[in-house]
Amino acid sequence: MIYTLEWLKDIELDITKPTLIFLYWDLWAGKTTLSQIILQKILDKKQEITSPTYVYYNKYEDNYHFDLYRLSSYDEFVSIAGEEILDNNSWVILLEWPEKIEDYYQADIEIHIEKTENPETRNIEIIYKKKA
């Protein structure tokens, strides 16, 4: 489905705890905006949501937002307590750059977002996976 950046707020997701969401997208495709929208809907309130690029993850109540762009290995993911957080299996976790750990974990929801020829729109595909 094609969304304008302004219409991203209209995306509805069926999310219950626990849910692991893998976010796949082009650079500069609006990941921070979409992550903010999803987390604010989960939290059911307006809260500042910031990019965890330099700290690997941020916690919002019982939910996490990971950005693994700078991660170099799965061992590094373990060293930042990522494995412990994902194995707890009791919260909603948004995870950017899942390619870094997808050999070890499977998403409950995948969101693919791509830029289009129009700089104001994005193509978004949401895939619900079966929980094991």
Side-chain angles (χ1 to χ4, degrees):
M1 174 158 274
I2 302 286
Y3 288 90
T4 65
L5 293 176
E6 183 178 312
W7 290 349
L8 283 176
K9 66 182 179 297
D10 296 330
I11 290 177
E12 293 295 326
L13 296 172
D14 182 18
I15 299 174
T16 57
K17 292 180 183 181
T19 299
L20 178 57
I21 303 169
F22 282 178
L23 304 166
Y24 296 92
W25 35 41
D26 296 335
L27 285 172
W28 305 104
K31 66 182 178 10
T32 299
T33 301
L34 185 57
S35 296
Q36 288 170 336
I37 290 165
I38 293 169
L39 285 166
Q40 287 173 348
K41 286 182 180 192
I42 291 168
L43 297 169
D44 197 28
K45 64 182 172 184
K46 196 81 166 162
Q47 181 174 340
E48 183 179 3
I49 308 294
T50 59
S51 175
T53 300
Y54 297 103
V55 294
Y56 296 111
Y57 63 87
N58 290 327
K59 184 176 181 185
Y60 301 97
E61 294 179 8
D62 290 334
N63 308 289
Y64 287 85
H65 176 201
F66 279 84
D67 184 334
L68 304 182
Y69 180 75
R70 296 181 327 113
L71 213 65
S72 60
S73 68
Y74 185 76
D75 288 338
E76 190 175 358
F77 180 71
V78 172
S79 74
I80 64 165
E83 188 178 62
E84 182 179 332
I85 292 168
L86 267 62
D87 288 347
N88 183 298
N89 201 30
S90 63
W91 23 62
V92 173
I93 298 170
L94 293 166
L95 200 141
E96 300 176 32
W97 302 97
E99 300 87 349
K100 309 271 179 127
I101 66 160
E102 65 189 0
D103 288 343
Y104 302 90
Y105 292 93
Q106 294 183 343
D108 300 308
I109 300 172
E110 288 183 6
I111 300 176
H112 298 261
I113 183 170
E114 299 173 329
K115 295 183 214 174
T116 64
E117 290 181 19
N118 178 342
E120 297 299 316
T121 64
R122 300 294 183 262
N123 183 31
I124 297 176
E125 179 181 18
I126 300 170
I127 303 167
Y128 289 89
K129 307 264 188 161
K130 286 186 174 181
K131 291 189 179 191

